Amino acid sequence: EVQLVESGGGLVQPGGSLRLSCAASGFTLSDYWMAWVRQAPGKGLEWVAHIQRDGSDKNYMDSVKGRFTISRDNARNSLFLQMNNLRAEDTAIYYCARDDWLDVWGQGTSVTVSS
Amino acid sequence: DVVMTQSPLSLSVTLGQSASISCRSSQSLLASDGNTYLYWFQQRPGQSPRRLLYKVSNRESGVPDRFSGSGSGTDFTLKIIRVEAADVGVYYCMQGTHWPPYTFGQGTKLEIK
């Protein structure tokens, strides 16, 4: 069964950092681009970033450029999102998704940025 | 960035009736390779999003044929016939032609009347 499981969310103060992880199973991670998508409370979906199969190409939404870094470890079947200098507006559920045009999603991990 | 505009933003439908959701893009979604990268997602209450349709009209495995997609260029439609209670949730369109970024519509909330 194809599955994505996120972890690493939590409560962090503004300016703080968090590292999200996504464990992939049931498929070969290195065959796919992978993405992070977020959803603020009561709001819609927002694509955050994605990364090429071997990690050589990455793209980010404008508001997270320079603060977030997407990475992957294909040998460990894992995707990561390092989030630095967090702001209140980054508060959201963060979903890991297989980027065959977002065909498979995880259950999400909640990030709250608040003092 | 391409702006995706859905209408209506909420929809109340009687069980067994049909529902239709419109999605319009600010630019044509026809790509140079001849494909149109327009997708529909369903998010049931308390759940993660799930992709229903890809490239305008192709249903994912396990998606009932009550769901259908149509359209071209900048205008697209998701139609649900014989609406069931399990269809309650929020529906999003998303474009993947002009990336980055992928962009989503605002979402349309479907409820049962």
PDB file of all heavy atoms in Angstrom, chain A residues 3 5-6 11 25 27 35 39 48 53 62 66 68 76 78-79 81 85-86 88 90 93-94 99-100 108-109:
ATOM      1  N   GLN A   3       1.873   4.787   0.984  1.00  0.00           N
ATOM      2  CA  GLN A   3       1.571   5.541   2.191  1.00  0.00           C
ATOM      3  C   GLN A   3       2.617   6.616   2.438  1.00  0.00           C
ATOM      4  O   GLN A   3       3.810   6.423   2.175  1.00  0.00           O
ATOM      5  CB  GLN A   3       1.525   4.591   3.392  1.00  0.00           C
ATOM      6  CG  GLN A   3       0.873   5.166   4.623  1.00  0.00           C
ATOM      7  CD  GLN A   3       0.643   4.119   5.708  1.00  0.00           C
ATOM      8  OE1 GLN A   3       1.167   3.005   5.644  1.00  0.00           O
ATOM      9  NE2 GLN A   3      -0.150   4.459   6.701  1.00  0.00           N
ATOM     10  N   VAL A   5       3.602   9.309   5.687  1.00  0.00           N
ATOM     11  CA  VAL A   5       3.331   9.617   7.085  1.00  0.00           C
ATOM     12  C   VAL A   5       4.224  10.768   7.529  1.00  0.00           C
ATOM     13  O   VAL A   5       5.450  10.622   7.566  1.00  0.00           O
ATOM     14  CB  VAL A   5       3.558   8.389   7.991  1.00  0.00           C
ATOM     15  CG1 VAL A   5       3.295   8.760   9.444  1.00  0.00           C
ATOM     16  CG2 VAL A   5       2.656   7.235   7.565  1.00  0.00           C
ATOM     17  N   GLU A   6       3.577  11.894   7.857  1.00  0.00           N
ATOM     18  CA  GLU A   6       4.309  13.081   8.293  1.00  0.00           C
ATOM     19  C   GLU A   6       4.513  13.071   9.806  1.00  0.00           C
ATOM     20  O   GLU A   6       3.711  12.491  10.550  1.00  0.00           O
ATOM     21  CB  GLU A   6       3.559  14.360   7.910  1.00  0.00           C
ATOM     22  CG  GLU A   6       3.293  14.547   6.432  1.00  0.00           C
ATOM     23  CD  GLU A   6       1.942  13.997   6.003  1.00  0.00           C
ATOM     24  OE1 GLU A   6       1.431  13.081   6.680  1.00  0.00           O
ATOM     25  OE2 GLU A   6       1.377  14.490   5.008  1.00  0.00           O
ATOM     26  N   LEU A  11       4.155  23.180  18.381  1.00  0.00           N
ATOM     27  CA  LEU A  11       4.013  24.592  18.717  1.00  0.00           C
ATOM     28  C   LEU A  11       5.403  25.223  18.791  1.00  0.00           C
ATOM     29  O   LEU A  11       6.298  24.687  19.462  1.00  0.00           O
ATOM     30  CB  LEU A  11       3.291  24.735  20.056  1.00  0.00           C
ATOM     31  CG  LEU A  11       3.205  26.137  20.656  1.00  0.00           C
ATOM     32  CD1 LEU A  11       2.383  27.064  19.754  1.00  0.00           C
ATOM     33  CD2 LEU A  11       2.596  26.070  22.063  1.00  0.00           C
ATOM     34  N   SER A  25       6.285   4.864   1.938  1.00  0.00           N
ATOM     35  CA  SER A  25       6.328   3.408   1.819  1.00  0.00           C
ATOM     36  C   SER A  25       5.387   2.954   0.710  1.00  0.00           C
ATOM     37  O   SER A  25       4.469   3.683   0.326  1.00  0.00           O
ATOM     38  CB  SER A  25       5.947   2.736   3.142  1.00  0.00           C
ATOM     39  OG  SER A  25       4.657   3.126   3.543  1.00  0.00           O
ATOM     40  N   PHE A  27       6.152   2.455  -2.425  1.00  0.00           N
ATOM     41  CA  PHE A  27       6.609   2.844  -3.752  1.00  0.00           C
ATOM     42  C   PHE A  27       8.078   3.255  -3.659  1.00  0.00           C
ATOM     43  O   PHE A  27       8.609   3.456  -2.561  1.00  0.00           O
ATOM     44  CB  PHE A  27       5.751   3.978  -4.333  1.00  0.00           C
ATOM     45  CG  PHE A  27       5.862   5.305  -3.607  1.00  0.00           C
ATOM     46  CD1 PHE A  27       6.672   6.326  -4.097  1.00  0.00           C
ATOM     47  CD2 PHE A  27       5.151   5.535  -2.439  1.00  0.00           C
ATOM     48  CE1 PHE A  27       6.767   7.533  -3.434  1.00  0.00           C
ATOM     49  CE2 PHE A  27       5.236   6.742  -1.765  1.00  0.00           C
ATOM     50  CZ  PHE A  27       6.048   7.739  -2.262  1.00  0.00           C
ATOM     51  N   ALA A  35       6.397  16.761  -2.811  1.00  0.00           N
ATOM     52  CA  ALA A  35       5.962  18.117  -2.504  1.00  0.00           C
ATOM     53  C   ALA A  35       5.447  18.251  -1.077  1.00  0.00           C
ATOM     54  O   ALA A  35       5.089  17.262  -0.429  1.00  0.00           O
ATOM     55  CB  ALA A  35       4.853  18.533  -3.480  1.00  0.00           C
ATOM     56  N   GLN A  39      -2.247  23.911   4.677  1.00  0.00           N
ATOM     57  CA  GLN A  39      -3.624  24.378   4.797  1.00  0.00           C
ATOM     58  C   GLN A  39      -3.764  25.097   6.129  1.00  0.00           C
ATOM     59  O   GLN A  39      -3.753  24.463   7.188  1.00  0.00           O
ATOM     60  CB  GLN A  39      -4.591  23.205   4.694  1.00  0.00           C
ATOM     61  CG  GLN A  39      -6.052  23.602   4.674  1.00  0.00           C
ATOM     62  CD  GLN A  39      -6.955  22.429   4.336  1.00  0.00           C
ATOM     63  OE1 GLN A  39      -6.707  21.287   4.728  1.00  0.00           O
ATOM     64  NE2 GLN A  39      -8.025  22.689   3.590  1.00  0.00           N
ATOM     65  N   VAL A  48       3.540  24.543  -1.217  1.00  0.00           N
ATOM     66  CA  VAL A  48       4.659  25.182  -0.533  1.00  0.00           C
ATOM     67  C   VAL A  48       5.972  25.010  -1.298  1.00  0.00           C
ATOM     68  O   VAL A  48       6.710  25.974  -1.521  1.00  0.00           O
ATOM     69  CB  VAL A  48       4.819  24.603   0.890  1.00  0.00           C
ATOM     70  CG1 VAL A  48       6.058  25.155   1.570  1.00  0.00           C
ATOM     71  CG2 VAL A  48       3.568  24.898   1.722  1.00  0.00           C
ATOM     72  N   ARG A  53      13.465  14.341  -8.308  1.00  0.00           N
ATOM     73  CA  ARG A  53      13.703  12.959  -7.881  1.00  0.00           C
ATOM     74  C   ARG A  53      15.036  12.760  -7.167  1.00  0.00           C
ATOM     75  O   ARG A  53      15.111  12.066  -6.146  1.00  0.00           O
ATOM     76  CB  ARG A  53      13.624  12.018  -9.090  1.00  0.00           C
ATOM     77  CG  ARG A  53      12.213  11.774  -9.577  1.00  0.00           C
ATOM     78  CD  ARG A  53      12.186  10.913 -10.832  1.00  0.00           C
ATOM     79  NE  ARG A  53      12.549  11.679 -12.010  1.00  0.00           N
ATOM     80  CZ  ARG A  53      11.686  12.336 -12.773  1.00  0.00           C
ATOM     81  NH1 ARG A  53      10.399  12.319 -12.481  1.00  0.00           N
ATOM     82  NH2 ARG A  53      12.091  13.008 -13.831  1.00  0.00           N
ATOM     83  N   ASP A  62       6.705  31.898  -2.988  1.00  0.00           N
ATOM     84  CA  ASP A  62       7.470  33.121  -2.732  1.00  0.00           C
ATOM     85  C   ASP A  62       7.612  33.419  -1.243  1.00  0.00           C
ATOM     86  O   ASP A  62       8.684  33.827  -0.785  1.00  0.00           O
ATOM     87  CB  ASP A  62       6.814  34.311  -3.438  1.00  0.00           C
ATOM     88  CG  ASP A  62       7.071  34.312  -4.938  1.00  0.00           C
ATOM     89  OD1 ASP A  62       7.942  33.549  -5.393  1.00  0.00           O
ATOM     90  OD2 ASP A  62       6.377  35.073  -5.649  1.00  0.00           O
ATOM     91  N   GLY A  66      13.948  31.337   1.095  1.00  0.00           N
ATOM     92  CA  GLY A  66      14.963  31.835   2.026  1.00  0.00           C
ATOM     93  C   GLY A  66      14.719  31.435   3.473  1.00  0.00           C
ATOM     94  O   GLY A  66      15.599  31.608   4.319  1.00  0.00           O
ATOM     95  N   PHE A  68      12.455  28.353   4.201  1.00  0.00           N
ATOM     96  CA  PHE A  68      12.183  26.916   4.189  1.00  0.00           C
ATOM     97  C   PHE A  68      13.140  26.231   3.221  1.00  0.00           C
ATOM     98  O   PHE A  68      13.496  26.786   2.172  1.00  0.00           O
ATOM     99  CB  PHE A  68      10.759  26.631   3.721  1.00  0.00           C
ATOM    100  CG  PHE A  68       9.671  27.022   4.686  1.00  0.00           C
ATOM    101  CD1 PHE A  68       9.899  27.826   5.795  1.00  0.00           C
ATOM    102  CD2 PHE A  68       8.368  26.579   4.476  1.00  0.00           C
ATOM    103  CE1 PHE A  68       8.889  28.172   6.671  1.00  0.00           C
ATOM    104  CE2 PHE A  68       7.337  26.910   5.331  1.00  0.00           C
ATOM    105  CZ  PHE A  68       7.608  27.718   6.427  1.00  0.00           C
ATOM    106  N   ARG A  76      16.623   6.462   2.659  1.00  0.00           N
ATOM    107  CA  ARG A  76      15.824   6.299   3.882  1.00  0.00           C
ATOM    108  C   ARG A  76      14.340   6.499   3.625  1.00  0.00           C
ATOM    109  O   ARG A  76      13.545   6.591   4.563  1.00  0.00           O
ATOM    110  CB  ARG A  76      16.306   7.285   4.936  1.00  0.00           C
ATOM    111  CG  ARG A  76      17.682   6.973   5.519  1.00  0.00           C
ATOM    112  CD  ARG A  76      18.213   8.124   6.363  1.00  0.00           C
ATOM    113  NE  ARG A  76      17.267   8.535   7.390  1.00  0.00           N
ATOM    114  CZ  ARG A  76      17.308   9.715   8.023  1.00  0.00           C
ATOM    115  NH1 ARG A  76      18.253  10.585   7.713  1.00  0.00           N
ATOM    116  NH2 ARG A  76      16.431  10.026   8.956  1.00  0.00           N
ATOM    117  N   SER A  78      12.638   9.058   2.746  1.00  0.00           N
ATOM    118  CA  SER A  78      12.171  10.199   3.543  1.00  0.00           C
ATOM    119  C   SER A  78      12.275  11.523   2.819  1.00  0.00           C
ATOM    120  O   SER A  78      13.200  11.757   2.048  1.00  0.00           O
ATOM    121  CB  SER A  78      12.969  10.281   4.846  1.00  0.00           C
ATOM    122  OG  SER A  78      12.721   9.167   5.675  1.00  0.00           O
ATOM    123  N   LEU A  79      11.299  12.379   3.127  1.00  0.00           N
ATOM    124  CA  LEU A  79      11.241  13.755   2.643  1.00  0.00           C
ATOM    125  C   LEU A  79      11.255  14.658   3.857  1.00  0.00           C
ATOM    126  O   LEU A  79      10.713  14.296   4.907  1.00  0.00           O
ATOM    127  CB  LEU A  79       9.950  13.972   1.842  1.00  0.00           C
ATOM    128  CG  LEU A  79       9.653  15.372   1.328  1.00  0.00           C
ATOM    129  CD1 LEU A  79      10.575  15.730   0.176  1.00  0.00           C
ATOM    130  CD2 LEU A  79       8.188  15.478   0.908  1.00  0.00           C
ATOM    131  N   LEU A  81      11.191  18.959   5.453  1.00  0.00           N
ATOM    132  CA  LEU A  81      10.995  20.383   5.258  1.00  0.00           C
ATOM    133  C   LEU A  81      11.563  21.087   6.484  1.00  0.00           C
ATOM    134  O   LEU A  81      11.012  20.991   7.579  1.00  0.00           O
ATOM    135  CB  LEU A  81       9.517  20.743   5.068  1.00  0.00           C
ATOM    136  CG  LEU A  81       9.259  22.209   4.706  1.00  0.00           C
ATOM    137  CD1 LEU A  81       9.803  22.529   3.311  1.00  0.00           C
ATOM    138  CD2 LEU A  81       7.762  22.531   4.773  1.00  0.00           C
ATOM    139  N   ASN A  85      12.864  30.714  10.911  1.00  0.00           N
ATOM    140  CA  ASN A  85      12.282  32.052  11.021  1.00  0.00           C
ATOM    141  C   ASN A  85      10.763  32.008  10.820  1.00  0.00           C
ATOM    142  O   ASN A  85      10.195  32.774  10.025  1.00  0.00           O
ATOM    143  CB  ASN A  85      12.933  32.998  10.007  1.00  0.00           C
ATOM    144  CG  ASN A  85      12.588  34.443  10.249  1.00  0.00           C
ATOM    145  OD1 ASN A  85      12.151  34.819  11.345  1.00  0.00           O
ATOM    146  ND2 ASN A  85      12.744  35.271   9.230  1.00  0.00           N
ATOM    147  N   LEU A  86      10.129  31.119  11.548  1.00  0.00           N
ATOM    148  CA  LEU A  86       8.693  30.899  11.369  1.00  0.00           C
ATOM    149  C   LEU A  86       7.873  32.110  11.783  1.00  0.00           C
ATOM    150  O   LEU A  86       8.232  32.845  12.717  1.00  0.00           O
ATOM    151  CB  LEU A  86       8.257  29.652  12.141  1.00  0.00           C
ATOM    152  CG  LEU A  86       8.614  28.352  11.429  1.00  0.00           C
ATOM    153  CD1 LEU A  86       8.648  27.183  12.398  1.00  0.00           C
ATOM    154  CD2 LEU A  86       7.619  28.073  10.298  1.00  0.00           C
ATOM    155  N   ALA A  88       3.672  33.738  12.234  1.00  0.00           N
ATOM    156  CA  ALA A  88       2.308  33.329  12.596  1.00  0.00           C
ATOM    157  C   ALA A  88       1.555  32.820  11.367  1.00  0.00           C
ATOM    158  O   ALA A  88       0.770  31.873  11.455  1.00  0.00           O
ATOM    159  CB  ALA A  88       1.570  34.495  13.235  1.00  0.00           C
ATOM    160  N   ASP A  90       2.547  31.084   9.040  1.00  0.00           N
ATOM    161  CA  ASP A  90       2.949  29.729   8.631  1.00  0.00           C
ATOM    162  C   ASP A  90       2.142  28.665   9.377  1.00  0.00           C
ATOM    163  O   ASP A  90       2.296  27.476   9.102  1.00  0.00           O
ATOM    164  CB  ASP A  90       4.444  29.505   8.897  1.00  0.00           C
ATOM    165  CG  ASP A  90       5.335  30.416   8.077  1.00  0.00           C
ATOM    166  OD1 ASP A  90       5.045  30.598   6.870  1.00  0.00           O
ATOM    167  OD2 ASP A  90       6.312  30.958   8.639  1.00  0.00           O
ATOM    168  N   ILE A  93      -1.729  23.023   8.743  1.00  0.00           N
ATOM    169  CA  ILE A  93      -1.431  21.594   8.605  1.00  0.00           C
ATOM    170  C   ILE A  93      -0.553  21.464   7.362  1.00  0.00           C
ATOM    171  O   ILE A  93      -0.881  22.022   6.302  1.00  0.00           O
ATOM    172  CB  ILE A  93      -2.706  20.761   8.462  1.00  0.00           C
ATOM    173  CG1 ILE A  93      -3.535  20.848   9.730  1.00  0.00           C
ATOM    174  CG2 ILE A  93      -2.350  19.305   8.146  1.00  0.00           C
ATOM    175  CD1 ILE A  93      -4.880  20.173   9.645  1.00  0.00           C
ATOM    176  N   TYR A  94       0.548  20.743   7.509  1.00  0.00           N
ATOM    177  CA  TYR A  94       1.469  20.538   6.400  1.00  0.00           C
ATOM    178  C   TYR A  94       1.332  19.098   5.911  1.00  0.00           C
ATOM    179  O   TYR A  94       1.487  18.146   6.687  1.00  0.00           O
ATOM    180  CB  TYR A  94       2.909  20.828   6.840  1.00  0.00           C
ATOM    181  CG  TYR A  94       3.173  22.310   6.947  1.00  0.00           C
ATOM    182  CD1 TYR A  94       2.651  23.056   8.000  1.00  0.00           C
ATOM    183  CD2 TYR A  94       3.920  22.978   5.982  1.00  0.00           C
ATOM    184  CE1 TYR A  94       2.865  24.423   8.087  1.00  0.00           C
ATOM    185  CE2 TYR A  94       4.152  24.344   6.058  1.00  0.00           C
ATOM    186  CZ  TYR A  94       3.616  25.058   7.114  1.00  0.00           C
ATOM    187  OH  TYR A  94       3.834  26.418   7.193  1.00  0.00           O
ATOM    188  N   ASP A  99       4.519  13.909  -5.817  1.00  0.00           N
ATOM    189  CA  ASP A  99       4.282  14.912  -6.849  1.00  0.00           C
ATOM    190  C   ASP A  99       4.217  14.316  -8.247  1.00  0.00           C
ATOM    191  O   ASP A  99       4.937  14.743  -9.152  1.00  0.00           O
ATOM    192  CB  ASP A  99       5.326  16.030  -6.770  1.00  0.00           C
ATOM    193  CG  ASP A  99       4.880  17.262  -7.562  1.00  0.00           C
ATOM    194  OD1 ASP A  99       3.777  17.221  -8.144  1.00  0.00           O
ATOM    195  OD2 ASP A  99       5.629  18.251  -7.587  1.00  0.00           O
ATOM    196  N   ASP A 100       3.373  13.313  -8.372  1.00  0.00           N
ATOM    197  CA  ASP A 100       2.904  12.935  -9.713  1.00  0.00           C
ATOM    198  C   ASP A 100       1.611  13.713  -9.851  1.00  0.00           C
ATOM    199  O   ASP A 100       0.518  13.132  -9.872  1.00  0.00           O
ATOM    200  CB  ASP A 100       2.689  11.428  -9.789  1.00  0.00           C
ATOM    201  CG  ASP A 100       2.444  10.963 -11.228  1.00  0.00           C
ATOM    202  OD1 ASP A 100       2.472  11.809 -12.149  1.00  0.00           O
ATOM    203  OD2 ASP A 100       2.211   9.759 -11.421  1.00  0.00           O
ATOM    204  N   GLY A 108      -1.000  14.557   7.230  1.00  0.00           N
ATOM    205  CA  GLY A 108      -0.683  15.907   7.656  1.00  0.00           C
ATOM    206  C   GLY A 108      -0.099  15.977   9.054  1.00  0.00           C
ATOM    207  O   GLY A 108      -0.323  15.097   9.891  1.00  0.00           O
ATOM    208  N   THR A 109       0.666  17.040   9.305  1.00  0.00           N
ATOM    209  CA  THR A 109       1.193  17.330  10.636  1.00  0.00           C
ATOM    210  C   THR A 109       0.954  18.806  10.909  1.00  0.00           C
ATOM    211  O   THR A 109       1.143  19.645  10.026  1.00  0.00           O
ATOM    212  CB  THR A 109       2.685  16.947  10.748  1.00  0.00           C
ATOM    213  OG1 THR A 109       3.120  17.101  12.101  1.00  0.00           O
ATOM    214  CG2 THR A 109       3.571  17.802   9.846  1.00  0.00           C
TER     215      THR A 109
END
